[in-house]
Each structure stands twice: as structure tokens, then as C-alpha cells.
């Protein structure tokens, strides 16, 4: 399989001026040597985004969104890196071979992903045979028509235990690999299909590659689980994806929101009815990876989980996590039926849309939740309730919300405003203390060493002269992250004989461990002047701090060392370091 090379990606980036590309989406105004615009990635009221033509990088000074021309298109269009490359190429009038555009993940897992595609087609075809009649009746009975079956890749696994396995063998796939992707099970060395007599639903990763299946019974069977899912494989990791994410991405932008439901049937039902900005958790609790995916959408999140206690509790904990990550969160609680799928089947899509028009704010949902299961005519419960409300409202730091809430409580429970205000002030003081501690920690972390190390990395991205200077005068960093980035820069430069921040961003786009830090470093350097003299200043600082740390480390080692000759060795090393200091 041909791949688009780094050189080709760089050539595209080189030909596509970031000012023209961003300017094709948003009006830009020139200010000094940079351009500014209203940031499309947060609720911006003044032009917070700066675009550097010289460096071919953009940065929002309010929300921190940053990157090169591909990053912008990725975020703005809601597509992955490779699709962003294709869009930029087209806008810049560059012809590229579309077949070359595959992500690294696809290239590495070529056979595995092909097998999943074959399985999907095989299952889909089964539905159309004489064996598929009952399953088709079942699907049609639930309002799932041909178009939806096609769009969501719904299919059927057959009764005979190894038909898919044999098909894959015939196509020359290795039996071990078939087992590894979870399409078959191993029973004492004999392989048989993982899914039998079930309606199958493909599960995709964030880019739309099939990585697993979920399969449900349809003939009213008892004594068996309603759904079975692919086991964890190198392709499928539970909780790493959101069902329907790759479909929903293109719709969330228009709707300015994403609806989060529990089950994939809920997501399919809503899509069937034309509400397409929907993703499913495939469970109740949001995972770290899923939060990252939701953050990438840059829209408000509407939680619409099941109508049971678990769904309600998950709404609370998921909402709390999302708020902490700075997302805007709303809540819909449907009543009567157990989940959105059933609700829409019984009450129709318009009833759902009414709910969608007026979702609770997460704060209001929380207030409702705090009241639940408390008997507010009892003074104990009432006091607990009011204290909890005050704590929550103090956490928001929203002056107007605080005022409205205090007024409401005061009226509803006949409490003096002074008392409430006094209590609130106490809570706010505690919060401020906490914030200060956190801020101090952040500052300590970003100490002089890290700040200077960031700058050195930034200079290295500006050309071979700076890379040489680093190799000549410093050579390494004491922390693993900067060391890894520096090594990647050197490697990149050796291969390409040229380097600049914008191209290096493309290069690290699939290197998860260092990508964020590189973005940060580049965005903090957007207005920096670069010269060897300034760089030498940072190198001297880092060198001095690393020597100090090394001496500290050796002194501890010395204390713990019992062997006399080794003690002398350590002492000599310390004296040597002190001389150079
Ligand atoms: Zn912004």
C-alpha cells in the first residue's frame, strides 16, 4: 500500500499559506506582522486568535487552541489529520493520490482491518439470504429500514459455527490473526465463529474503521445474554471509542452540540429520526479517552442517559467530569420509557425534540438530584440540602447564578440572606485557598528548568544551526519528555535536512506521547525572536540547573552508600561537577 510521505505532507503545507486557508473559513484582520480573528473554537467575543504568516502557525490566546494549517482544518471541519491533509491539498490546488491517504493506524493494522471489513460484508449479505427473513422481520418491526441497515452496517451471523472462519481462511488470512482480532474463539485448539445466530452491529474507531462487533439475539431466546461484544483486541479497546463518533462529527458543528446516549440502539434510533449529532458510550461511565474525543468537538455536551437510577447517577458523575474539563454540559431526563430508543418508539421523535429544545443546565440537574431522596420537612435533611447547594454554587464562581440561587433558597425556606451569604463567603474562601495551592503547584512544576528546556526545543525547531548548538553545548535533557522531543527533532532533521515548527507539528501528529507538549512549546514561541545568543542563555540556565540537580542526587547517593571506595568515587564526581558549576 502506498503511503503519503512526510515530504509530500510538507510540500502541501508549504504551498498552502495558513493565512489563505484560515481566511477561506473566517475573516482575518492584519495586526502588525500577524493576522487576528474571532476564535471559532470557543465562545469568543473579541479576536483572540492570532495567525502567524511567518511561522505558519495559529494560536488562540483565550482557549489555547493551536497548531498548523492541518490542525486548524482538523478542528474546524471535525475530521482526522489525514482528511485535513486532503482538504488543504484541494484548497491549495494540489493533486494528490487519494489512495495514499491512510493513517498510520490503518497501515499498521492492514490485514486486521481488512478482515473486519470482510466480516461486515459477509454479515450484511447473510441478511439478504433465506436465513435472514426472521432477522429482517425483527429489524423492520423496530422501524429499521434498508437505508439504516446499510448506513450502520447491520448484518446477521449464521447458525453454522465456522462459516466466517472458513471464508477468511479461503481468502488466505492466517488463522492466528483471525483469532487475534476476535472474530473466532478457540475451543481446545478448534476455532469457531465468535458470533452466531445474532444480529450484528459493527463498532468503529474514531476514524470510522471497523474494530469490533456487537451482536444481539432476535428470536426471543432465553438463557443467553441479549448482547455480546467483541473481546478486547489490538484493534478494539473497550471504552476508547464513542459509538457513531465518525458519523456524528460532521453534524455536531451545525447543531453546536453533541448528544451522548448509553446504548448504540439509542444512537441508531436518533439518527433514523434525523437527529444525527449523537454518540453512544456503550456503557454508563465516561472514560478518559471518551472525554478527549468529546473535547475535540468544541461544542456543548447534552447527556441523555437511561431512565433508571444508574443512568441518573452516571449523569451526575459524567457531568462533573466534563465540567472539570471546561465543557458546557446540559442534561435531558426522559420519563416513562427506559431509554431514548424506547422513548422515541412510544412517543415519537417530536416529543424527544421538545426535550431537546429545553435541556436542564447541569447545575439545575444537580440541584434536582440533591433534593431527591431527602425529606426537606426534616431539619437535618434540609440543612444538608442547603449546605450542598451552597457548596455547588460556590464552586461555579458564577456571580449571577450565586445571587439567583441565594434568593431562591432564602424565599423558599424562609432563611435570612445574611446567613446564606456568610456561609457562602466561608466556602468561597476555602475555594480560593484551594485554587492558590493548585496554582502554586503548577508554577513549581513549570519551574525555571522546564521553561528554559521548552525554549531550547523551540529554537531547535527553527533550523540546523540551533540543533547543532544544542548538540554541541548541551546534548541531553535530564527529563524524559524533553529528551524524547529533542531526539525526534534530530532524527527529523537528519532525514529531511530542513526543519520548521509548522512541519514538525505534522510530523508529531500521530505521536501521542509528545504531540501535546510540542504544540504547547510551539504555541508559546509564536512571537519569539530566535537567535543563537538568546538560545545560549537558555542552554546555560538548563545546564546550571541540571548540574545542581545532579549534585543533589549524588549527595543522596553518598548518604546511602556504605562501600568506602564507592563513596570516594561519588565525592570525586561531586567535586568535578562543582568546578564546572
Ligand atoms: Zn479560542
Amino acid at each position: 500500500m502506498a503511503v503519503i510521505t512526510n515530504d509530500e505532507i510538507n510540500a502541501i503545507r508549504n504551498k498552502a499559506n495558513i493565512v489563505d486557508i484560515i481566511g477561506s473559513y473566517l475573516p482575518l484582520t492584519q495586526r502588525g506582522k500577524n493576522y487576528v480573528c474571532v476564535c471559532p473554537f470557543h465562545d469568543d467575543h473579541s479576536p483572540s486568535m492570532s495567525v502567524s504568516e511567518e511561522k505558519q502557525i495559529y494560536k488562540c490566546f483565550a482557549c489555547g487552541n493551536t497548531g498548523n494549517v492541518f490542525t486548524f482544518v482538523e478542528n474546524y471541519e471535525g475530521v482526522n489529520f489525514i482528511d485535513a491533509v486532503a482538504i488543504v491539498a484541494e484548497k491549495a490546488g494540489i493533486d494528490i493520490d487519494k489512495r495514499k491517504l491512510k493513517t498510520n493506524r490503518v497501515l499498521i493494522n492492514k490485514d486486521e482491518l481488512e478482515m473486519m471489513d470482510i466480516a461486515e460484508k459477509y454479515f450484511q449479505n447473510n441478511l439478504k439470504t433465506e436465513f435472514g427473513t426472521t432477522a429482517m422481520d425483527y429489524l423492520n418491526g423496530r422501524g429499521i429500514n434498508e437505508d439504516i441497515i446499510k448506513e450502520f452496517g447491520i448484518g446477521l451471523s449464521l447458525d453454522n459455527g465456522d462459516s466466517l472462519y472458513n471464508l477468511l481462511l479461503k481468502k488466505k488470512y492466517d488463522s492466528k490473526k483471525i483469532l487475534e482480532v476476535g472474530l473466532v474463539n478457540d475451543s481446545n485448539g478448534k476455532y469457531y465463529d465468535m458470533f452466531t445466530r445474532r444480529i450484528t452491529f459493527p463498532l468503529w474507531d474514531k476514524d470510522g474503521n471497523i474494530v469490533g462487533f456487537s451482536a444481539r439475539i432476535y428470536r426471543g431466546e432465553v438463557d443467553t445474554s441479549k448482547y455480546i461484544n467483541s473481546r478486547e483486541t489490538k484493534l478494539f479497546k473497550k471504552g476508547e471509542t464513542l459509538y457513531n463518533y465518525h458519523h456524528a462529527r460532521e453534524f455536531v458543528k451545525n447543531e453546536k452540540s453533541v448528544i451522548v446516549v448509553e446504548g448504540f440502539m439509542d444512537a441508531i434510533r436518533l439518527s433514523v429520526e434525523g437527529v444525527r449529532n449523537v454518540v453512544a458510550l456503550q456503557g454508563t461511565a465516561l472514560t478518559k479517552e471518551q472525554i478527549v474525543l468529546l473535547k475535540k468537538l468544541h461544542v456543548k455536551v447534552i447527556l441523555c442517559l437511561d431512565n433508571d437510577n444508574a443512568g441518573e447517577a452516571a449523569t451526575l458523575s459524567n457531568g462533573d467530569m466534563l465540567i472539570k474539563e471546561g465543557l458546557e454540559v446540559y442534561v435531558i431526563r426522559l420519563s416513562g420509557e427506559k431509554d431514548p430508543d424506547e422513548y422515541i418508539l412510544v412517543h415519537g421523535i417530536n416529543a424527544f425534540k421538545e426535550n431537546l429544545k429545553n435541556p436542564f443546565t447541569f447545575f439545575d440537574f444537580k440541584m434536582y438530584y440533591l433534593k431527591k431522596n431527602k425529606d426537606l420537612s426534616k431539619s437535618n435533611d434540609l440543612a444538608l440540602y442547603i449546605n450542598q447547594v451552597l457548596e455547588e454554587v460556590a464552586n461555579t464562581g458564577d456571580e449571577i447564578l450565586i445571587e439567583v440561587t441565594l434568593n431562591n433558597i432564602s424565599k423558599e425556606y424562609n432563611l435570612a440572606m445574611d446567613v446564606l451569604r456568610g456561609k457562602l463567603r466561608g466556602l468561597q474562601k476555602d475555594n480560593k485557598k484551594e485554587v492558590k495551592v493548585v496554582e502554586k503547584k503548577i508554577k513549581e512544576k513549570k519551574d525555571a528548568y522546564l521553561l528554559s528546556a521548552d525554549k531550547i526545543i523551540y529554537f531547535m525547531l527553527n533550523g540546523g544551526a540551533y540543533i547543532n548548538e544544542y548538540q554541541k553545548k548541551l546534548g541531553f535533557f535530564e527529563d524524559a519528555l524533553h529528551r524524547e522531543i529533542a531526539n525526534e527533532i534530530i532524527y527529523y532533521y537528519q532525514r529531511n535536512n530542513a526543519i520548521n515548527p509548522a512541519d514538525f507539528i505534522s510530523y508529531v501528529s500521530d505521536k501521542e506521547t509528545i504531540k501535546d507538549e510540542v504544540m504547547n512549546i510551539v504555541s508559546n514561541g509564536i512571537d519569539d525572536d530566535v537567535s543563537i545568543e538568546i538560545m545560549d542563555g537558555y542552554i546555560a540556565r538548563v545546564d546550571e540547573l541540571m548540574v545542581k540537580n545532579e549534585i543533589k542526587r549524588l549527595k543522596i547517593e553518598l548518604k546511602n552508600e556504605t562501600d568506602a571506595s564507592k563513596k570516594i568515587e561519588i565525592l570525586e564526581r561531586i567535586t568535578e561537577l562543582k568546578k564546572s558549576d
Side-chain angles (χ1 to χ4, degrees), residues 151-169:
E151 182 177 346
F152 287 90
I154 301 169
L156 177 71
S157 57
L158 296 181
D159 285 9
N160 43 342
D162 55 6
S163 49
L164 175 61
Y165 178 53
N166 284 324
L167 175 70
L168 290 169
L169 282 183

Side-chain angles (χ1 to χ4, degrees), residues 449-450 453-454 476-485 517 542 546:
Y449 166 79
L450 291 178
D454 279 2
F476 75 104
F477 287 104
E478 67 176 23
D479 72 296
L481 185 59
H482 286 88
R483 207 162 50 228
E484 190 182 346
I485 298 171
E517 182 65 13
V542 163
M546 289 202 311

Side-chain angles (χ1 to χ4, degrees), residues 233-260:
T233 66
K234 69 188 267 203
L235 293 180
F236 180 63
K237 301 269 183 292
K238 204 168 171 278
E240 260 188 14
T241 59
L242 284 161
Y243 182 81
N244 201 41
Y245 187 79
H246 67 297
H247 283 144
R249 270 189 104 156
E250 53 179 303
F251 297 101
V252 300
K253 214 175 155 47
N254 269 336
E255 302 298 331
K256 296 191 171 64
S257 66
V258 59
I259 302 168
V260 176

Side-chain angles (χ1 to χ4, degrees), residues 38-44 48-49 59-65 298:
V38 173
C39 171
F41 305 126
H42 79 276
D43 188 16
D44 196 9
S48 305
M49 185 176 277
K59 173 184 185 173
C60 171
F61 284 90
C63 73
N65 199 303
H298 305 288

